[in-house]
């Protein structure tokens, strides 16, 4: 059984590290690890206002996000257990640093001396969540067919009702 969009979003909200990927204006692929927080149905990342991430994402706004979800607890100290993952396409919007005042958890990630030179990426998932190992026992993760899921991204109360079957 596939996880619901709400279960997937809960897993994303419990994490704080993701990899965002985009294409530069010249067509070169780029990816970068970021620390994020979740508020409502959005992810928020703080970047330097003049960084290549801010410049390139401002131009296009379309990104891909992958969130590794650590699994295994103490067992992962004894044996290598790959993380579960949640991946999705998203639209990123760049906001001025003033948005930090509206998201207290995000503001705690930025030292006061860096606030003046930063920008906030608002990341809105769209399309489908593609997961591996979310909502499945660790041993089942060895079976790729049973560990994968593709679940429509939905926000608000409808997200709690589970995945929508595609035609």
């Amino acid at each position: 059984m596939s996880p619901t969009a709400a279960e997937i979003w809960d897993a994303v909200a419990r994490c704080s590290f993701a990899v965002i990927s985009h294409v530069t204006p010249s067509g070169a692929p780029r990816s970068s690890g970021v620390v994020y927080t979740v508020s409502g149905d959005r992810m928020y990342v703080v970047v330097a206002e003049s960084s290549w991430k801010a410049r390139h994402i401002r131009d296009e706004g379309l990104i891909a996000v992958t969130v590794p979800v650590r699994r295994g607890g103490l067992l992962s100290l004894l044996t290598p257990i790959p993380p579960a993952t949640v991946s999705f396409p998203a639209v990123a919007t760049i906001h001025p640093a003033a948005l930090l005042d509206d998201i207290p958890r995000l503001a705690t990630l930025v030292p006061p001396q860096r606030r003046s030179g930063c920008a906030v990426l608002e990341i809105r998932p769209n399309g489908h969540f593609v997961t591996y190992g979310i909502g499945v026992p660790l041993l089942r993760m060895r079976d790729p067919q049973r560990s994968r899921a593709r679940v429509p991204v939905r926000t608000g109360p409808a997200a709690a009702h589970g995945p929508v079957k595609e035609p």
Side-chain angles (χ1 to χ4, degrees):
M1 181 166 160
S2 292
T4 65
E7 290 168 334
I8 295 167
W9 194 244
D10 286 345
V12 169
R14 284 192 305 273
C15 297
S16 61
F17 176 80
V19 176
I20 59 172
S21 302
H22 68 279
V23 177
T24 68
S26 65
R30 293 284 186 262
S31 64
S32 179
V34 296
V35 175
Y36 70 88
T37 191
V38 169
S39 181
D41 59 355
R42 305 285 196 269
M43 294 173 77
Y44 293 91
V45 174
V46 177
V47 297
E49 194 172 37
S50 61
S51 70
W52 58 265
K53 279 183 274 195
R55 289 191 317 266
H56 296 167
I57 291 171
R58 182 178 288 119
D59 291 342
E60 183 63 33
L62 298 176
I63 64 171
V65 178
T66 298
V67 178
V69 179
R70 187 172 172 203
R71 301 276 313 259
L74 292 176
L75 184 60
S76 66
L77 298 174
L78 302 173
T79 184
I81 296 175
T85 57
V86 176
S87 298
F88 53 89
V91 175
T93 305
I94 307 255
H95 297 283
L99 187 64
L100 289 170
D101 297 329
D102 297 335
I103 308 169
R105 286 180 294 182
L106 186 61
T108 64
L109 299 176
V110 183
Q113 65 273 21
R114 289 194 48 221
R115 288 187 94 178
S116 65
C118 70
V120 176
L121 292 180
E122 175 186 357
I123 299 171
R124 181 176 42 87
N126 63 21
H128 289 81
F129 291 118
V130 177
T131 68
Y132 190 88
I134 300 294
V136 299
L138 281 175
L139 291 178
R140 192 169 118 189
M141 286 178 67
R142 294 187 295 184
D143 180 352
Q145 296 294 29
R146 296 175 66 200
S147 297
R148 293 183 188 135
R150 188 171 189 265
V151 179
V153 170
R154 293 190 288 172
T155 58
H161 298 300
V164 173
K165 301 263 191 245
E166 291 186 49

Short mmCIF file of all heavy atoms in Angstrom, two decimals, residues 13-70:
data_model
loop_
_atom_site.label_atom_id
_atom_site.label_comp_id
_atom_site.label_asym_id
_atom_site.label_seq_id
_atom_site.Cartn_x
_atom_site.Cartn_y
_atom_site.Cartn_z
N ALA A 13 8.72 16.87 6.75
CA ALA A 13 8.72 17.87 7.82
C ALA A 13 9.61 17.46 9.00
O ALA A 13 10.13 18.32 9.71
CB ALA A 13 7.29 18.13 8.29
N ARG A 14 9.80 16.15 9.20
CA ARG A 14 10.66 15.68 10.30
C ARG A 14 12.15 15.79 9.96
O ARG A 14 13.00 15.68 10.84
CB ARG A 14 10.32 14.23 10.65
CG ARG A 14 9.04 14.09 11.44
CD ARG A 14 8.88 12.69 12.01
NE ARG A 14 8.95 11.63 11.02
CZ ARG A 14 7.93 11.17 10.32
NH1 ARG A 14 6.73 11.65 10.50
NH2 ARG A 14 8.10 10.19 9.44
N CYS A 15 12.47 15.98 8.70
CA CYS A 15 13.87 16.10 8.27
C CYS A 15 14.25 17.57 8.18
O CYS A 15 13.40 18.45 8.33
CB CYS A 15 14.06 15.42 6.92
SG CYS A 15 13.73 13.65 6.96
N SER A 16 15.52 17.82 7.89
CA SER A 16 15.96 19.21 7.74
C SER A 16 16.99 19.40 6.63
O SER A 16 17.44 20.50 6.39
CB SER A 16 16.55 19.73 9.06
OG SER A 16 17.68 18.95 9.42
N PHE A 17 17.36 18.32 5.94
CA PHE A 17 18.35 18.40 4.87
C PHE A 17 17.74 17.88 3.57
O PHE A 17 17.05 16.86 3.56
CB PHE A 17 19.59 17.56 5.20
CG PHE A 17 20.59 17.53 4.08
CD1 PHE A 17 21.46 18.59 3.88
CD2 PHE A 17 20.64 16.46 3.20
CE1 PHE A 17 22.37 18.57 2.83
CE2 PHE A 17 21.54 16.43 2.15
CZ PHE A 17 22.42 17.50 1.96
N ALA A 18 18.00 18.59 2.48
CA ALA A 18 17.52 18.18 1.16
C ALA A 18 18.56 18.56 0.12
O ALA A 18 19.46 19.37 0.37
CB ALA A 18 16.19 18.87 0.83
N VAL A 19 18.43 17.98 -1.05
CA VAL A 19 19.24 18.35 -2.20
C VAL A 19 18.29 18.98 -3.21
O VAL A 19 17.27 18.39 -3.57
CB VAL A 19 19.95 17.13 -2.82
CG1 VAL A 19 20.71 17.54 -4.08
CG2 VAL A 19 20.88 16.48 -1.81
N ILE A 20 18.61 20.21 -3.61
CA ILE A 20 17.81 20.86 -4.65
C ILE A 20 18.63 20.87 -5.93
O ILE A 20 19.84 21.03 -5.91
CB ILE A 20 17.36 22.28 -4.26
CG1 ILE A 20 18.54 23.20 -3.96
CG2 ILE A 20 16.43 22.24 -3.06
CD1 ILE A 20 18.15 24.65 -3.78
N SER A 21 17.94 20.65 -7.03
CA SER A 21 18.59 20.61 -8.34
C SER A 21 17.86 21.54 -9.29
O SER A 21 16.65 21.69 -9.21
CB SER A 21 18.56 19.19 -8.91
OG SER A 21 19.19 18.29 -8.02
N HIS A 22 18.63 22.16 -10.17
CA HIS A 22 18.06 23.05 -11.17
C HIS A 22 19.00 23.13 -12.36
O HIS A 22 20.06 22.49 -12.36
CB HIS A 22 17.80 24.44 -10.58
CG HIS A 22 19.05 25.17 -10.23
ND1 HIS A 22 19.75 24.96 -9.07
CD2 HIS A 22 19.75 26.11 -10.91
CE1 HIS A 22 20.81 25.74 -9.04
NE2 HIS A 22 20.84 26.44 -10.15
N VAL A 23 18.61 23.88 -13.34
CA VAL A 23 19.43 24.07 -14.53
C VAL A 23 19.80 25.55 -14.61
O VAL A 23 18.95 26.42 -14.41
CB VAL A 23 18.67 23.64 -15.80
CG1 VAL A 23 19.48 23.90 -17.05
CG2 VAL A 23 18.28 22.18 -15.70
N THR A 24 21.07 25.82 -14.90
CA THR A 24 21.52 27.21 -15.02
C THR A 24 20.96 27.80 -16.31
O THR A 24 20.50 27.08 -17.20
CB THR A 24 23.05 27.29 -15.05
OG1 THR A 24 23.51 26.71 -16.27
CG2 THR A 24 23.67 26.61 -13.85
N PRO A 25 21.01 29.13 -16.44
CA PRO A 25 20.53 29.75 -17.69
C PRO A 25 21.22 29.22 -18.94
O PRO A 25 20.64 29.21 -20.02
CB PRO A 25 20.82 31.24 -17.47
CG PRO A 25 20.77 31.41 -15.99
CD PRO A 25 21.36 30.13 -15.44
N SER A 26 22.47 28.73 -18.80
CA SER A 26 23.18 28.19 -19.96
C SER A 26 22.89 26.70 -20.18
O SER A 26 23.44 26.09 -21.08
CB SER A 26 24.68 28.41 -19.82
OG SER A 26 25.17 27.67 -18.72
N GLY A 27 22.03 26.11 -19.33
CA GLY A 27 21.64 24.72 -19.51
C GLY A 27 22.45 23.70 -18.72
O GLY A 27 22.25 22.51 -18.88
N ALA A 28 23.36 24.16 -17.87
CA ALA A 28 24.17 23.23 -17.07
C ALA A 28 23.39 22.78 -15.83
O ALA A 28 22.77 23.60 -15.17
CB ALA A 28 25.47 23.91 -16.65
N PRO A 29 23.43 21.48 -15.53
CA PRO A 29 22.73 21.00 -14.33
C PRO A 29 23.51 21.35 -13.07
O PRO A 29 24.75 21.35 -13.07
CB PRO A 29 22.68 19.48 -14.54
CG PRO A 29 23.87 19.19 -15.40
CD PRO A 29 24.06 20.40 -16.27
N ARG A 30 22.79 21.66 -12.01
CA ARG A 30 23.41 21.96 -10.73
C ARG A 30 22.57 21.35 -9.61
O ARG A 30 21.35 21.26 -9.71
CB ARG A 30 23.46 23.48 -10.47
CG ARG A 30 24.37 24.23 -11.40
CD ARG A 30 25.83 24.02 -11.01
NE ARG A 30 26.71 24.84 -11.81
CZ ARG A 30 27.35 24.43 -12.88
NH1 ARG A 30 27.21 23.21 -13.30
NH2 ARG A 30 28.14 25.23 -13.54
N SER A 31 23.23 20.94 -8.53
CA SER A 31 22.52 20.50 -7.34
C SER A 31 23.29 20.97 -6.13
O SER A 31 24.50 21.21 -6.19
CB SER A 31 22.34 18.99 -7.32
OG SER A 31 23.58 18.35 -7.26
N SER A 32 22.58 21.12 -5.03
CA SER A 32 23.21 21.64 -3.82
C SER A 32 22.45 21.14 -2.61
O SER A 32 21.21 21.11 -2.60
CB SER A 32 23.18 23.17 -3.87
OG SER A 32 23.76 23.70 -2.71
N GLY A 33 23.18 20.78 -1.56
CA GLY A 33 22.55 20.42 -0.31
C GLY A 33 22.13 21.67 0.43
O GLY A 33 22.84 22.68 0.43
N VAL A 34 20.95 21.63 1.05
CA VAL A 34 20.43 22.78 1.79
C VAL A 34 19.79 22.31 3.10
O VAL A 34 19.33 21.17 3.21
CB VAL A 34 19.39 23.58 0.98
CG1 VAL A 34 20.02 24.20 -0.27
CG2 VAL A 34 18.20 22.71 0.59
N VAL A 35 19.77 23.19 4.06
CA VAL A 35 19.04 22.97 5.29
C VAL A 35 17.72 23.72 5.14
O VAL A 35 17.71 24.85 4.65
CB VAL A 35 19.85 23.49 6.50
CG1 VAL A 35 19.05 23.38 7.78
CG2 VAL A 35 21.16 22.73 6.62
N TYR A 36 16.63 23.10 5.53
CA TYR A 36 15.32 23.70 5.32
C TYR A 36 14.45 23.54 6.56
O TYR A 36 14.76 22.79 7.47
CB TYR A 36 14.62 23.09 4.10
CG TYR A 36 14.19 21.65 4.32
CD1 TYR A 36 12.94 21.35 4.88
CD2 TYR A 36 15.03 20.59 4.00
CE1 TYR A 36 12.55 20.03 5.09
CE2 TYR A 36 14.65 19.28 4.20
CZ TYR A 36 13.40 19.01 4.74
OH TYR A 36 13.02 17.71 4.96
N THR A 37 13.33 24.24 6.51
CA THR A 37 12.26 24.02 7.48
C THR A 37 10.96 23.99 6.69
O THR A 37 10.90 24.44 5.55
CB THR A 37 12.24 25.10 8.58
OG1 THR A 37 11.35 24.69 9.62
CG2 THR A 37 11.81 26.45 8.04
N VAL A 38 9.94 23.42 7.30
CA VAL A 38 8.63 23.32 6.67
C VAL A 38 7.65 24.17 7.45
O VAL A 38 7.66 24.18 8.69
CB VAL A 38 8.15 21.84 6.65
CG1 VAL A 38 6.70 21.73 6.26
CG2 VAL A 38 9.02 21.02 5.71
N SER A 39 6.82 24.89 6.74
CA SER A 39 5.74 25.64 7.34
C SER A 39 4.54 25.48 6.42
O SER A 39 4.60 25.82 5.24
CB SER A 39 6.11 27.12 7.49
OG SER A 39 5.06 27.84 8.11
N GLY A 40 3.47 24.90 6.96
CA GLY A 40 2.31 24.61 6.13
C GLY A 40 2.67 23.60 5.07
O GLY A 40 3.26 22.57 5.36
N ASP A 41 2.36 23.90 3.82
CA ASP A 41 2.65 22.98 2.72
C ASP A 41 3.82 23.49 1.86
O ASP A 41 3.87 23.25 0.67
CB ASP A 41 1.41 22.74 1.87
CG ASP A 41 0.86 24.02 1.26
OD1 ASP A 41 1.38 25.11 1.57
OD2 ASP A 41 -0.11 23.94 0.49
N ARG A 42 4.75 24.19 2.50
CA ARG A 42 5.92 24.73 1.81
C ARG A 42 7.19 24.40 2.57
O ARG A 42 7.19 24.24 3.78
CB ARG A 42 5.84 26.26 1.71
CG ARG A 42 4.59 26.84 1.09
CD ARG A 42 4.62 26.65 -0.42
NE ARG A 42 3.66 27.49 -1.10
CZ ARG A 42 2.41 27.13 -1.38
NH1 ARG A 42 1.97 25.96 -1.01
NH2 ARG A 42 1.61 27.92 -2.04
N MET A 43 8.29 24.33 1.83
CA MET A 43 9.63 24.24 2.42
C MET A 43 10.25 25.63 2.26
O MET A 43 9.97 26.32 1.28
CB MET A 43 10.50 23.25 1.65
CG MET A 43 10.07 21.82 1.74
SD MET A 43 11.04 20.75 0.63
CE MET A 43 12.55 20.59 1.55
N TYR A 44 11.12 25.97 3.21
CA TYR A 44 11.81 27.26 3.15
C TYR A 44 13.29 27.04 3.38
O TYR A 44 13.68 26.30 4.28
CB TYR A 44 11.25 28.23 4.19
CG TYR A 44 9.83 28.63 3.90
CD1 TYR A 44 8.77 27.91 4.42
CD2 TYR A 44 9.55 29.72 3.07
CE1 TYR A 44 7.46 28.25 4.13
CE2 TYR A 44 8.25 30.07 2.78
CZ TYR A 44 7.21 29.34 3.31
OH TYR A 44 5.92 29.68 3.01
N VAL A 45 14.10 27.70 2.55
CA VAL A 45 15.55 27.60 2.60
C VAL A 45 16.12 29.01 2.57
O VAL A 45 15.62 29.87 1.83
CB VAL A 45 16.09 26.82 1.36
CG1 VAL A 45 17.59 26.82 1.31
CG2 VAL A 45 15.52 25.41 1.33
N VAL A 46 17.15 29.25 3.36
CA VAL A 46 17.83 30.54 3.33
C VAL A 46 19.10 30.39 2.51
O VAL A 46 19.86 29.44 2.70
CB VAL A 46 18.18 31.02 4.76
CG1 VAL A 46 18.95 32.33 4.70
CG2 VAL A 46 16.91 31.19 5.58
N VAL A 47 19.29 31.30 1.57
CA VAL A 47 20.50 31.31 0.73
C VAL A 47 21.07 32.72 0.72
O VAL A 47 20.37 33.69 1.04
CB VAL A 47 20.19 30.85 -0.73
CG1 VAL A 47 19.69 29.43 -0.76
CG2 VAL A 47 19.21 31.78 -1.40
N ALA A 48 22.33 32.83 0.34
CA ALA A 48 22.92 34.15 0.17
C ALA A 48 22.22 34.85 -1.00
O ALA A 48 21.98 34.24 -2.05
CB ALA A 48 24.42 34.05 -0.08
N GLU A 49 21.89 36.09 -0.82
CA GLU A 49 21.17 36.86 -1.82
C GLU A 49 21.89 36.89 -3.17
O GLU A 49 21.27 36.87 -4.23
CB GLU A 49 21.00 38.28 -1.28
CG GLU A 49 20.00 39.13 -2.00
CD GLU A 49 19.80 40.43 -1.25
OE1 GLU A 49 20.78 40.98 -0.69
OE2 GLU A 49 18.66 40.89 -1.23
N SER A 50 23.21 36.89 -3.14
CA SER A 50 23.99 36.97 -4.38
C SER A 50 24.51 35.61 -4.84
O SER A 50 25.31 35.54 -5.77
CB SER A 50 25.17 37.93 -4.19
OG SER A 50 26.01 37.43 -3.15
N SER A 51 24.07 34.53 -4.21
CA SER A 51 24.57 33.20 -4.57
C SER A 51 24.07 32.76 -5.93
O SER A 51 23.07 33.25 -6.44
CB SER A 51 24.13 32.18 -3.51
OG SER A 51 22.73 31.97 -3.59
N TRP A 52 24.79 31.79 -6.51
CA TRP A 52 24.35 31.25 -7.80
C TRP A 52 22.99 30.58 -7.65
O TRP A 52 22.18 30.59 -8.57
CB TRP A 52 25.38 30.32 -8.41
CG TRP A 52 25.78 29.15 -7.57
CD1 TRP A 52 26.85 29.06 -6.73
CD2 TRP A 52 25.10 27.90 -7.46
NE1 TRP A 52 26.88 27.84 -6.12
CE2 TRP A 52 25.81 27.09 -6.55
CE3 TRP A 52 23.96 27.36 -8.05
CZ2 TRP A 52 25.43 25.81 -6.21
CZ3 TRP A 52 23.58 26.07 -7.71
CH2 TRP A 52 24.31 25.32 -6.80
N LYS A 53 22.71 29.97 -6.49
CA LYS A 53 21.37 29.36 -6.30
C LYS A 53 20.29 30.42 -6.45
O LYS A 53 19.33 30.23 -7.18
CB LYS A 53 21.26 28.72 -4.91
CG LYS A 53 21.88 27.36 -4.81
CD LYS A 53 21.67 26.77 -3.45
CE LYS A 53 22.75 27.26 -2.55
NZ LYS A 53 22.91 26.56 -1.31
N ALA A 54 20.47 31.54 -5.75
CA ALA A 54 19.46 32.59 -5.83
C ALA A 54 19.35 33.15 -7.25
O ALA A 54 18.25 33.34 -7.76
CB ALA A 54 19.79 33.70 -4.84
N ARG A 55 20.47 33.39 -7.89
CA ARG A 55 20.45 33.96 -9.24
C ARG A 55 19.81 33.02 -10.24
O ARG A 55 18.96 33.40 -11.03
CB ARG A 55 21.86 34.33 -9.68
CG ARG A 55 22.43 35.53 -8.96
CD ARG A 55 23.73 36.03 -9.61
NE ARG A 55 24.66 34.99 -10.00
CZ ARG A 55 25.66 34.54 -9.23
NH1 ARG A 55 25.84 35.03 -8.03
NH2 ARG A 55 26.47 33.61 -9.67
N HIS A 56 20.23 31.75 -10.25
CA HIS A 56 19.73 30.81 -11.24
C HIS A 56 18.27 30.44 -11.00
O HIS A 56 17.50 30.32 -11.93
CB HIS A 56 20.59 29.55 -11.27
CG HIS A 56 21.98 29.81 -11.71
ND1 HIS A 56 22.98 28.89 -11.55
CD2 HIS A 56 22.57 30.89 -12.29
CE1 HIS A 56 24.11 29.38 -12.04
NE2 HIS A 56 23.89 30.59 -12.48
N ILE A 57 17.91 30.24 -9.75
CA ILE A 57 16.52 29.85 -9.45
C ILE A 57 15.58 31.02 -9.69
O ILE A 57 14.46 30.83 -10.15
CB ILE A 57 16.42 29.30 -8.01
CG1 ILE A 57 17.16 27.95 -7.95
CG2 ILE A 57 14.98 29.16 -7.58
CD1 ILE A 57 17.33 27.39 -6.57
N ARG A 58 16.05 32.24 -9.45
CA ARG A 58 15.21 33.41 -9.73
C ARG A 58 14.84 33.45 -11.21
O ARG A 58 13.72 33.80 -11.58
CB ARG A 58 15.96 34.68 -9.33
CG ARG A 58 15.15 35.95 -9.55
CD ARG A 58 15.92 37.20 -9.10
NE ARG A 58 15.98 37.23 -7.64
CZ ARG A 58 17.11 37.22 -6.93
NH1 ARG A 58 18.28 37.17 -7.53
NH2 ARG A 58 17.09 37.27 -5.62
N ASP A 59 15.77 33.06 -12.08
CA ASP A 59 15.52 33.11 -13.53
C ASP A 59 14.45 32.11 -13.97
O ASP A 59 13.63 32.41 -14.81
CB ASP A 59 16.81 32.83 -14.31
CG ASP A 59 17.82 33.95 -14.17
OD1 ASP A 59 17.43 35.07 -13.78
OD2 ASP A 59 19.01 33.70 -14.44
N GLU A 60 14.49 30.90 -13.43
CA GLU A 60 13.61 29.84 -13.92
C GLU A 60 12.51 29.48 -12.92
O GLU A 60 11.36 29.36 -13.29
CB GLU A 60 14.44 28.59 -14.25
CG GLU A 60 13.66 27.44 -14.84
CD GLU A 60 13.02 27.76 -16.18
OE1 GLU A 60 13.59 28.52 -16.96
OE2 GLU A 60 11.92 27.22 -16.43
N GLY A 61 12.88 29.23 -11.69
CA GLY A 61 11.90 28.89 -10.65
C GLY A 61 11.54 27.43 -10.55
O GLY A 61 10.92 27.02 -9.58
N LEU A 62 11.91 26.62 -11.54
CA LEU A 62 11.60 25.19 -11.49
C LEU A 62 12.81 24.44 -10.94
O LEU A 62 13.92 24.62 -11.41
CB LEU A 62 11.25 24.66 -12.88
CG LEU A 62 10.02 25.30 -13.52
CD1 LEU A 62 9.84 24.75 -14.93
CD2 LEU A 62 8.79 25.05 -12.68
N ILE A 63 12.55 23.61 -9.95
CA ILE A 63 13.63 22.84 -9.33
C ILE A 63 13.14 21.41 -9.07
O ILE A 63 11.95 21.11 -9.20
CB ILE A 63 14.10 23.47 -8.00
CG1 ILE A 63 12.98 23.47 -6.95
CG2 ILE A 63 14.63 24.89 -8.22
CD1 ILE A 63 13.43 23.89 -5.56
N ALA A 64 14.07 20.56 -8.71
CA ALA A 64 13.76 19.22 -8.23
C ALA A 64 14.33 19.13 -6.82
O ALA A 64 15.37 19.72 -6.52
CB ALA A 64 14.40 18.15 -9.12
N VAL A 65 13.63 18.42 -5.95
CA VAL A 65 14.04 18.30 -4.56
C VAL A 65 14.11 16.82 -4.20
O VAL A 65 13.21 16.05 -4.56
CB VAL A 65 13.04 19.01 -3.62
CG1 VAL A 65 13.43 18.84 -2.16
CG2 VAL A 65 12.89 20.48 -3.98
N THR A 66 15.15 16.43 -3.50
CA THR A 66 15.26 15.08 -2.94
C THR A 66 15.59 15.21 -1.47
O THR A 66 16.56 15.89 -1.10
CB THR A 66 16.33 14.24 -3.65
OG1 THR A 66 15.96 14.10 -5.03
CG2 THR A 66 16.47 12.86 -3.02
N VAL A 67 14.77 14.57 -0.64
CA VAL A 67 14.96 14.57 0.80
C VAL A 67 15.34 13.15 1.23
O VAL A 67 14.55 12.23 1.07
CB VAL A 67 13.68 15.01 1.55
CG1 VAL A 67 13.88 14.95 3.05
CG2 VAL A 67 13.24 16.39 1.09
N PRO A 68 16.57 12.95 1.75
CA PRO A 68 16.92 11.65 2.31
C PRO A 68 16.28 11.53 3.71
O PRO A 68 16.38 12.46 4.51
CB PRO A 68 18.44 11.66 2.39
CG PRO A 68 18.83 13.10 2.32
CD PRO A 68 17.69 13.86 1.73
N VAL A 69 15.61 10.41 3.96
CA VAL A 69 14.93 10.19 5.23
C VAL A 69 15.67 9.07 5.94
O VAL A 69 15.60 7.91 5.52
CB VAL A 69 13.45 9.83 5.02
CG1 VAL A 69 12.75 9.58 6.35
CG2 VAL A 69 12.74 10.94 4.23
N ARG A 70 16.38 9.42 6.99
CA ARG A 70 17.19 8.44 7.71
C ARG A 70 16.32 7.35 8.31
O ARG A 70 15.27 7.62 8.88
CB ARG A 70 17.98 9.13 8.81
CG ARG A 70 18.95 8.20 9.47
CD ARG A 70 19.86 8.94 10.40
NE ARG A 70 20.63 7.93 11.11
CZ ARG A 70 21.19 8.12 12.25
NH1 ARG A 70 21.11 9.28 12.84
NH2 ARG A 70 21.85 7.16 12.84
#
